[in-house]
Amino acid sequence: MPAYALLIEYDGAPFVGWQRQGQGLSVQQVLEEAAAHLNGGTEPTLVAAGRTDAGVHAEGQVAQLEIAAALPPERVREALNFHSRPHPVSVLAAAPAPEGWSARFSAIGRAYRYRILNRRARPALDLGRVWHVQRRLDAAAMHEAAQMLLGQHDFSAFRAAACQAKSPLRTLDRLDVARLGDEVVITAAARSFLHHQVRNLVGTLVEVGWGRRPQSWPRSVLDGRDRALAGQTAPPEGLVLTGVRYADPLDWG
């Protein structure tokens, strides 16, 4: 069957996450129902590079789609966008998938951005896109603490209790914290992440930003491998999947 790679963005607010659940609407369901119009009425199964949680957004999600008909990629994109309306999901591009390619298993890197609005006034334009933290954060201290977490480690202290990964070992390639005006922006990159890993890292670094904990504390939490010792899980609305890397970049046209 013809296979396509899809580059997707979505607002995660109205969804239970990427993956279909027992109840609630998922991004996967919206796109599979839209793709049925290209597949003789049968819903195909879409596989994504990362299964984002409820409320988490994406501007660079990648998924693979197999349908019965061989169609130009542009027609696949336009048809999916037409039939997925009015949901806040958009297929930015479609491309023929290379033979043997997997959106999930061929990925060699994933990147996320977390935005904290750090001011007294609540958000209006960015409502549902940021974590609103009123108390002033020391972004420089958060960044210094974050650099001690880079590399390959057992990230048990930062994984969700429901995480299904076989191993807690992950290699964190990037964890940068920077202040941009009223925003504190955290950028994370790794080959793969554990469930809630980025949000748990953010919640822990915020403790340093508030001055409640020293810069060395997140590393001691990491070494302790105990989730109960880490900070809170940051809310999902501030998190965006920004991109997925492959050894052979896809030709989006």
Side-chain angles (χ1 to χ4, degrees):
M1 296 177 67
Y4 300 86
L6 307 176
L7 181 64
I8 308 163
E9 72 174 22
Y10 49 84
D11 177 350
F15 300 111
V16 295
W18 164 268
Q19 191 173 18
R20 283 180 181 259
Q21 307 290 329
Q23 293 182 332
L25 185 66
S26 69
V27 181
Q28 181 183 21
Q29 179 183 342
V30 167
L31 289 172
E32 288 176 351
E33 289 178 352
H37 294 273
L38 302 174
N39 198 46
T42 301
E43 293 182 17
T45 298
L46 271 74
V47 177
R51 295 177 293 182
T52 53
D53 291 331
V56 175
H57 315 295
E59 61 186 33
Q61 175 71 281
V62 177
Q64 65 189 90
L65 166 68
E66 292 185 3
I67 54 176
L71 300 171
E74 296 81 6
R75 183 178 172 188
V76 172
R77 180 194 65 202
E78 295 304 313
L80 291 175
N81 285 336
F82 178 82
H83 291 292
S84 62
R85 295 185 299 180
H87 302 292
V89 179
S90 179
V91 177
L92 303 178
E99 185 176 354
W101 176 84
S102 166
R104 180 183 177 189
F105 296 109
S106 298
I108 61 170
R110 295 163 176 84
Y112 287 87
R113 180 180 64 246
Y114 196 99
R115 296 171 59 203
I116 300 173
L117 182 63
N118 192 207
R119 71 183 189 195
R120 293 293 301 174
R122 67 182 186 273
L125 297 179
D126 285 322
L127 185 65
R129 299 287 192 281
V130 295
W131 179 16
H132 182 212
V133 175
Q134 292 184 316
R135 183 176 172 183
R136 180 77 176 182
L137 292 168
D138 184 341
M142 293 169 65
H143 179 74
E144 290 304 315
Q147 302 319 291
M148 302 179 201
L149 305 176
L150 299 180
Q152 186 182 73
H153 306 286
D154 180 330
F155 280 94
S156 293
F158 299 102
R159 72 187 298 190
C163 182
Q164 298 177 353
K166 294 180 180 179
S167 170
L169 287 178
R170 290 295 184 272
T171 301
L172 189 58
D173 298 317
R174 181 183 181 188
L175 189 62
D176 292 339
V177 184
R179 175 171 289 280
L180 303 174
D182 286 335
E183 285 191 20
V184 173
V185 180
I186 297 95
T187 306
R191 185 181 186 95
S192 63
F193 290 90
L194 300 167
H195 191 198
H196 285 179
Q197 183 179 349
V198 175
R199 290 165 59 192
N200 289 338
L201 287 166
V202 171
T204 300
L205 292 173
V206 161
E207 294 288 323
V208 176
W210 278 329
R212 293 176 178 172
R213 301 282 189 171
Q215 294 179 20
S216 59
W217 179 66
R219 178 55 193 248
S220 67
V221 170
L222 173 72
D223 293 337
R225 303 180 185 180
D226 184 351
R227 174 68 189 96
L229 299 177
Q232 66 177 297
T233 302
E237 58 264 27
L239 187 60
V240 179
L241 173 61
T242 57
V244 184
R245 290 192 304 113
Y246 297 91
D248 296 316
L250 295 161
D251 183 8
W252 297 115

